[in-house]
Amino acid sequence: MSAENLDRNSPSIKPKIIAEEIKQLQRKLSEIVEPYQKPISSILPEERRVETSLLFDDIEIEACYDRFSSWEGSLSKKTVRNWINQFETILEQNIAYLLLSKLHFFSKTNIESATRSLQEQLLNSLLTKDSLWVAFRKDPKVVLKDNEAEFKKWLRNKIIRYAELPLPPRTSVESQYRLWGIYERSALTATSVSDDKKIRPLSYYFQAGTGDHETSVFVFMDYTNGSGTQLTKCIREINKLLVQYPLYKHSLFIFMYVVQAASFNLASIEFAPGNSETICYEPMLGYKSKEIMDILTIHQISESEYDDFIEKYCLRASGKSDAGYRDSGALTCHHYSCPNNTLPFFHKPSKNWEPLFRNSQTPSATSYKQK
């Protein structure tokens, strides 16, 4: 037996060892019972602020109103406050406010900026088309054959044809005329453009045999492209015209939108013209976009709570639990109308619901008049 073990077993050492072990056990016991000696509230999860107090006050309400003040319907700070007050709980009012603060509202000034951006994107897109460069250099009137500025001028004056989206049966695309009026003033000139650059029916160009079929660029415009349903219907009408005028099948068809759903894919429209593409100013913000989900996470709002909120108030506003047309759940509003794929409780009136943007759904657009 070692000297160490002899020492530990000696009568004088044993009591000290036992006393030390008892102290260790006492410390462990103290650590175990310590949480239960505190008030129960101190060990419960911290109460979420979004359930007990509002995330906004009159200043935030006024800021929302200021963003929407160019809405062409009836709107006031009181309207904004009353709309939020319809949501029943503090948590629901906070979620409504968070969505409202992120709603992508396009004022007339925003639209003017969008048209200028679309014009620039259109020209930059055409700069990449080799067939157009070949035609440009073959044009006997062109002096500077490789000058980009001259090429853009040539595109604007000789190649681009602004066309109306053909109207399918029982479908209105009136908004395109209003957008063209803004585009004409803001993107093309400060006042107007010559008669040969007016927006015209696609059939007008086809019947007139306008331009070289393989280098003609037909450009269409509208405010919103969500699910692509309306564009699909318009393309069917374009295809009917192409059957009558098959030479134009080789032309380029460009569809420009102020806002477009990020999920939209023109290739999914199997009968879209072979040479066609879309250009948009902004991607559409949806209620399940990462930007929105991140905000909910910051405020400890679970996805299931959010889903319940969306279903409850879509149902109350529209009688359906769908988050807008084809369940799009967009967070988009233009200064004159709120698209029907936006969350219904923003724009859909019912017996139990007063929307924020009252004169919505079908835009009362003023048609652009030829000069």
Side-chain angles (χ1 to χ4, degrees):
M1 185 175 292
S2 67
E4 183 182 345
N5 286 335
L6 283 172
D7 289 343
R8 289 179 62 84
N9 290 326
S10 67
S12 61
I13 296 298
K14 261 188 175 182
K16 293 180 181 180
I17 294 174
I18 293 171
E20 185 62 32
E21 289 183 351
I22 290 173
K23 285 180 182 180
Q24 292 291 337
L25 291 171
Q26 285 174 335
R27 277 198 292 271
K28 290 179 181 178
L29 179 62
S30 175
E31 291 171 1
I32 292 170
V33 302
E34 182 182 11
Y36 302 98
Q37 295 173 335
K38 297 178 181 178
I40 190 69
S41 60
S42 68
I43 62 172
L44 290 174
E46 185 178 345
E47 191 172 34
R48 294 182 301 175
R49 186 186 166 209
V50 290
E51 289 183 288
T52 59
S53 59
L54 295 173
L55 299 176
F56 57 92
D57 57 20
D58 287 341
I59 294 176
E60 278 77 22
I61 293 292
E62 186 168 355
C64 286
Y65 168 72
D66 287 343
R67 282 204 303 125
F68 310 141
S69 59
S70 64
W71 170 252
E72 294 184 4
S74 176
L75 193 66
S76 66
K77 289 187 281 289
K78 187 175 184 294
T79 308
V80 177
R81 171 67 78 172
N82 289 344
W83 179 78
I84 290 181
N85 286 343
Q86 292 178 105
F87 297 90
E88 293 175 352
T89 68
I90 289 177
L91 174 62
E92 290 172 346
Q93 289 182 10
N94 281 329
I95 295 175
Y97 167 72
L98 291 173
L99 291 177
L100 184 64
S101 67
K102 286 297 177 181
L103 183 75
H104 204 165
F105 183 82
F106 290 90
S107 66
K108 191 171 181 180
T109 301
N110 296 145
I111 299 296
E112 289 171 350
S113 176
T115 61
R116 291 189 290 271
S117 174
L118 287 171
Q119 166 75 349
E120 193 61 30
Q121 287 186 66
L122 171 63
L123 294 174
N124 287 338
S125 174
L126 297 180
L127 281 173
T128 67
K129 311 299 180 185
D130 291 339
S131 60
L132 294 180
W133 275 103
V134 169
F136 169 69
R137 291 178 179 122
K138 286 182 178 179
D139 190 328
K141 294 183 179 180
V142 171
V143 178
L144 304 173
K145 302 292 185 180
D146 293 300
N147 186 279
E148 187 175 294
E150 285 297 309
F151 182 56
K152 286 185 176 181
K153 183 179 177 181
W154 179 79
L155 291 171
R156 288 193 300 267
N157 295 333
K158 290 193 173 184
I159 299 301
I160 297 172
R161 319 288 176 188
Y162 293 101
E164 299 174 10
L165 284 162
L167 305 183
R170 300 179 299 280
T171 301
S172 170
V173 200
E174 285 185 348
S175 51
Q176 64 177 318
Y177 303 108
R178 182 168 189 151
L179 182 59
W180 166 255
I182 297 174
Y183 185 89
E184 179 196 53
R185 293 188 300 273
S186 298
L188 300 183
T189 71
T191 53
S192 186
V193 291
S194 59
D195 287 341
D196 64 342
K197 299 307 292 181
K198 300 291 186 184
I199 185 173
R200 297 184 184 278
L202 186 61
S203 57
Y204 168 86
Y205 294 116
F206 285 4
Q207 290 166 7
T210 303
D212 184 280
H213 307 129
E214 296 197 7
T215 58
S216 290
V217 178
F218 297 104
V219 178
F220 309 85
M221 288 183 289
D222 204 0
Y223 282 93
T224 304
N225 181 22
S227 64
T229 301
Q230 188 180 65
L231 177 58
T232 299
K233 293 176 181 178
C234 292
I235 285 177
R236 287 196 183 104
E237 300 304 310
I238 291 173
N239 285 336
K240 290 177 184 178
L241 287 170
L242 289 175
V243 170
Q244 298 177 52
Y245 304 94
L247 288 175
Y248 284 99
K249 286 183 178 180
H250 302 292
S251 300
L252 179 59
F253 299 86
I254 296 181
F255 306 94
M256 300 199 304
Y257 290 93
V258 173
V259 59
Q260 178 174 287
S263 61
F264 174 77
N265 182 5
L266 186 62
S268 65
I269 304 178
E270 60 183 7
F271 48 86
N275 296 324
S276 59
E277 58 189 67
T278 62
I279 295 173
C280 77
Y281 172 64
E282 291 281 0
M284 184 179 291
L285 184 65
Y287 82 106
K288 281 292 185 79
S289 294
K290 185 179 184 300
E291 181 178 344
I292 302 299
M293 301 308 291
D294 286 347
I295 291 173
L296 296 178
T297 299
I298 290 171
H299 292 285
Q300 299 176 290
I301 299 169
S302 71
E303 188 169 354
S304 61
E305 286 175 316
Y306 184 47
D307 288 341
D308 290 343
F309 166 87
I310 294 295
E311 182 175 351
K312 176 180 177 179
Y313 287 100
C314 286
L315 187 63
R316 184 166 299 183
S318 67
K320 301 177 181 178
S321 58
D322 297 347
Y325 181 72
R326 293 209 167 185
D327 219 20
S328 301
L331 289 169
T332 298
C333 187
H334 306 296
H335 63 94
Y336 74 98
S337 181
C338 192
N340 65 1
N341 57 359
T342 293
L343 289 168
F345 48 79
F346 280 104
H347 64 82
K348 191 82 173 174
S350 73
K351 186 169 70 173
N352 300 316
W353 193 256
E354 185 63 30
L356 182 60
F357 303 104
R358 191 71 171 83
N359 64 337
S360 189
Q361 290 300 93
T362 302
S364 55
T366 302
S367 295
Y368 173 79
K369 296 180 180 179
Q370 298 284 340
K371 296 179 182 178

